[in-house]
Amino acid sequence: MASIMLTAMPFAGHARPVRAVAGELVRRGHDVRVYTGRSYTALFEEVGARTVPWDAAPDVDERDLAATFPRMRGRKGFRQVLVNLEDLFLGTAPAQARDLERAHAAEPWDLLAGDPMALGTRLAAERLGSRWATVSPIAVWLPGPGIPPTGLGLTPADGPLGRARDRVLGAAAGAGTRVLARRYQATRRRVGLPADAETFATMWYSPQLVVAAGSPGLDYPRSDLPGHIRFVGDLTDDGAAPSPGPLPDWWDDVQRATVPVVHVTQGTASVDPRDLVLPAVEALAGREVFVVVGLGHRTPPLPGPLPANVRVAPMVPYPHLLPRTDVVVTNGGYGGVLQALRHDVPLVVAGGDLDKPEIAARIGWHGAGVNLRTGRPRPAAIAAAYDAVSTDPRYRATAARLGAELRALGGTRAAADLLEAHLR
């Protein structure tokens, strides 16, 4: 039995995949602790892990990050990304490292395995000289030859004009990331660590082992991926049959549906329904489809009466819903996209901010769905995209090909195998 400390940012899209890995390690007999926000400690304790809640690090509510980080209020797009990186991820890293060092002093671990966005993991690992790995619920898509500048939602371009585009936009994007890289080096100095050679793209990840959600086939074609980055498919896939869970009181309507089922989601934290949910409901109202809307952390009901073919719940268990789903309309949250593809479901993606334009671009480029190229699409655009995805069999065939690759990579069990091997 090994003592393993996992870290997870207190966001549903990060905590739930790390929870699945924690549960698998607990089942194998390891002593697992998880460092995360207080709002997620119960989630990890349900699978037998012990928890170390954020203490020096400011506990945050993912539904209202601006309450802790006021500069986030009213920010969208690139400005939101910049403030997220500066205030939340870089800004809290020294306090995370202090929490982790205190936990290690009280009870040393054999392995530290961290969420890449919990940057205190890296700082603590280096200060302690700890063996460490990254467990990444987010996409690990590094810069490289032929890869367009990250963050702009671009697809690969050929020829002189395409290469010129990438040079110009890459230089502009590089100016922004250099500011953040300097902030990272300043953060290292604050905790007594020397400067290192990491770039903005690599500073989040362990140089020893990265256990990454996703698959090589989801990225653009490349041959330069470092050997320590290992893709394992969907990190919520533990290979087990879905267990009975809390289902909405209208669930029988899904089981009786004789028309295509369309799932609409903005993820768990993007809660303004005017962005995607309401336009999608309008686009699909009155059609011969059954629409299941997941509202995430949004608690107020949607305004106005719902169309007869629409059902709504805060959360709908994906192991039950996705096997019955024909198309997913999504804001491009990575975990939800992976789960849809693992069930061979094609997508309509409205990726507005953070990493979502990159996810939307790759789904569209590969042909597993339609990239709407905005986070606030019009109903007519959603309707047209749904018509394309639901009638052209090539979208489903591509989703099934990517789904087969994700399933073959092994999911949570493969992640645990890699972490165990890293202990030796």
Side-chain angles (χ1 to χ4, degrees):
M1 181 180 74
S3 175
I4 300 173
M5 174 70 83
L6 300 176
T7 68
M9 290 299 290
F11 309 141
H14 292 239
R16 292 186 182 279
V18 176
R19 174 188 187 263
V21 176
E24 178 64 21
L25 291 168
V26 168
R27 285 190 290 274
R28 296 183 181 201
H30 299 295
D31 176 34
V32 179
R33 285 175 288 165
V34 182
Y35 173 65
T36 191
R38 295 180 188 277
S39 58
Y40 280 98
T41 54
L43 190 76
F44 288 98
E45 289 164 358
E46 288 173 359
V47 297
R50 296 185 290 143
T51 52
V52 178
W54 284 25
D55 184 21
D59 214 357
V60 299
D61 181 350
E62 65 185 307
R63 296 166 295 185
D64 186 13
L65 291 174
T68 306
F69 307 102
R71 289 205 306 154
M72 290 186 184
R73 187 163 284 111
R75 300 295 178 98
K76 288 277 190 179
F78 180 74
R79 292 187 306 162
Q80 180 191 17
V81 173
L82 189 64
V83 174
N84 270 357
L85 291 167
E86 287 186 334
D87 293 8
L88 173 57
F89 299 118
L90 279 163
T92 65
Q96 293 176 34
R98 289 198 298 274
D99 284 342
L100 286 166
E101 288 178 51
R102 282 199 292 267
H104 185 269
E107 190 176 341
W109 55 68
D110 301 305
L111 174 66
L112 177 61
D115 181 338
M117 304 315 293
L119 190 59
T121 310
R122 168 185 276 277
L123 303 182
E126 290 192 31
R127 283 177 54 87
L128 294 166
S130 175
R131 184 190 300 267
W132 72 292
T134 296
V135 176
S136 184
I138 63 173
V140 181
W141 291 330
L142 300 180
I147 305 297
T150 300
L152 303 175
L154 299 174
T155 56
D158 296 322
L161 287 178
R163 289 190 291 272
R165 178 205 73 174
D166 287 352
R167 282 196 301 271
V168 171
L169 294 177
T177 58
R178 280 193 293 274
V179 171
L180 293 166
R182 287 195 295 270
R183 174 73 181 272
Y184 162 69
Q185 296 298 342
T187 301
R188 292 181 63 85
R189 290 194 297 271
R190 281 179 58 194
V191 300
L193 290 172
D196 65 15
E198 301 295 343
T199 67
F200 173 77
T202 63
M203 67 192 197
W204 314 96
Y205 303 111
S206 167
Q208 302 171 15
L209 172 66
V210 177
V211 178
S215 69
L218 274 172
D219 198 0
Y220 299 129
R222 65 188 310 155
S223 58
D224 62 332
L225 198 69
H228 71 285
I229 297 177
R230 304 289 297 275
F231 287 99
V232 296
D234 175 13
L235 276 177
T236 66
D237 178 14
D238 61 4
S243 59
L247 294 168
D249 56 10
W250 42 257
W251 183 250
D252 286 348
D253 296 343
V254 178
Q255 295 179 302
R256 290 194 295 263
T258 58
V259 296
V261 173
V262 182
H263 175 46
V264 177
T265 174
Q266 280 183 214
T268 54
S270 179
V271 296
D272 186 346
R274 294 171 296 182
D275 289 349
L276 178 59
V277 166
L278 291 177
V281 167
E282 181 179 339
L284 299 170
R287 286 173 169 252
E288 290 296 313
V289 295
F290 188 88
V291 182
V292 176
V293 178
L295 291 177
H297 287 310
R298 178 184 168 80
T299 51
L302 294 180
L306 293 173
N309 66 334
V310 175
R311 302 291 186 274
V312 174
M315 300 280 188
V316 184
Y318 274 7
H320 296 274
L321 176 63
L322 290 177
R324 300 176 179 275
T325 299
D326 294 270
V327 175
V328 169
V329 179
T330 174
N331 70 334
Y334 192 54
V337 166
L338 293 183
Q339 290 184 72
L341 291 175
R342 180 161 62 84
H343 288 87
D344 301 343
V345 181
L347 304 117
V348 173
V349 190
D353 52 26
L354 303 176
D355 60 343
K356 295 174 180 62
E358 291 295 317
I359 295 165
R362 283 164 172 79
I363 291 299
W365 189 84
H366 283 291
V370 170
N371 175 13
L372 292 173
R373 302 177 186 277
T374 176
R376 301 195 72 180
R378 296 181 180 276
I382 298 171
Y386 170 76
D387 287 340
V389 169
S390 62
T391 58
D392 186 337
R394 290 176 294 182
Y395 289 106
R396 182 169 293 279
T398 302
R401 175 177 58 79
L402 293 173
E405 181 182 30
L406 289 168
R407 293 190 297 271
L409 287 168
T412 304
R413 291 176 296 184
D417 289 343
L418 288 167
L419 293 175
E420 287 182 327
H422 195 51
L423 281 162
R424 295 194 283 272

